[in-house]
Amino acid sequence: MKRHPEVMEDNQEKEKEVKELLSKSETKILRVTWCGTNNVIRAKGVHKDNMDAVFRNGVGLCTGVMAMPVMYDVVVEGSGIGPVGELRLTPDWDTLRFLPYARNNAGVMADLFKHSGEPSELCPRYFLRRMIAEAANHEVMIKAGFENEFNLLRRKQVEEGVGQLEPTDDTVYAMSFSMDKNLDVMMDIMDNLSKQSVKLELWHAEAANGQQELAIRYSDVMTAANQQIIVKETVKAVAMKHGLIASFMPKIFADQAGNGNHVHLSIHSPHGKNLVPSEDGENKLSTVASQFIAGMLEHLPALMAITVPSTNSYHRVVPSTWSGAFQCWGVENREAAIRVTINRHSPSPTHFELKTIDGCANPYLALGTIIAAGLDGIKRGLQLPPPVNTDPMQLSEKERSKLKVPRLPKNLKESMEAFKKDEVLNEALGPSMAKSVLSVREAEWAAMKDMHLKDEVNLLLQRY
């Protein structure tokens, strides 16, 4: 494979260092990992005896994999992708890590390249890189940190058929007994994440039975996206070692809270200065932050095809559940889709939170489209509407109409329709990626739109 100078030169410089690391370790399998348009994390394991081939050529991948829905491994119609063609999974050696939960295994994130050595338009990491560069052209840098919610479950044995799912506890939000109940598995998870250089901030029980939350410290958006892959892989693998199932699926139990994947965002200058707070007064947004959030708000219905991309996602995004079901923002308003947080000490605010996002999202596509939406707000100088300081559901239809606070898409079909009309997001993704994303979403909607929640859970529980 011809090496492209944009990325491959760094790999060449790293090659000797990486070979030495792998040879000194007891690594027998290198997992080359990627996340496609159906948002399932996948990997190919390269044996230690074949490492030289990875440095020369990467690992082969059928192009059709980038147009497969979550239900099955068949290329969807209308994607523009067929059985012909191959991409190369090319390791980003800066992401190399040894997997403490998997004996003799190491892992590395992969970029998708064409045989020519050019980055593939179907590569989610390449898309995020382009958006990072676009932000730099506007003299801003975005940082992000995710709050990961997931359920810890076990199969309850029954006489016939598959065992019913049973949460590991029946506690409520932040109940300390849940920490004791799940201590062994959660400490093991956190130790394994720390060994992979994932910086943790907070752990607590969430509102649903067996539901946990791990908040990851903010970083540049590429690192944040990489860490999301690491978190999901690690949580699920370590839980399995404890005889449990961990799932980031948005809605597992109809009568309990769902799993979000809220992302906290901040805007910085090229020199690292936080640009979110206004210099005109405490607890006020700067002009650039207001414009960025205004762009996110305007594009949010279309963004949802990326950030809450499953039919199951919309069982969670409902009013009065702190999931961001209305197209509005607010200061410390957990019902708003975008919440601006206030700090106890100056400067304030320094970041804001998108709540309309979950664990089914591809983190590279999600952060990339968020940046595209925000930059559109900056380019056009969009004005941020007044904040909403109550639960929009408590307002009448007339009041919401007057305040211009519409309900966000109620299902995947509605968000897909918004995505089709959104020229900014489609242009940012590029025609190949946009077509692949939309065709996969349409296939998933057709297959699952009438599916009962129980059947969704059976299908998606271990996908996400």
Side-chain angles (χ1 to χ4, degrees), residues 268-314:
H268 300 258
S269 74
H271 304 293
K273 180 182 178 181
N274 193 312
L275 301 177
V276 175
S278 171
E279 296 183 356
D280 297 334
E282 195 68 13
N283 296 333
K284 292 183 180 179
L285 290 166
S286 67
T287 298
V288 69
S290 296
Q291 292 171 344
F292 193 94
I293 295 172
M296 286 177 62
L297 270 180
E298 179 170 303
H299 294 284
L300 189 51
L303 271 173
M304 288 172 68
I306 304 291
T307 62
V308 282
S310 169
T311 55
N312 182 261
S313 300
Y314 296 83

Side-chain angles (χ1 to χ4, degrees), residues 67 75-82 431-432 434-440 442-443:
V75 178
V76 299
E77 294 183 4
S79 65
I81 299 171
S432 297
K435 192 173 185 179
S436 176
V437 167
L438 184 60
S439 62
V440 168
E442 288 177 333

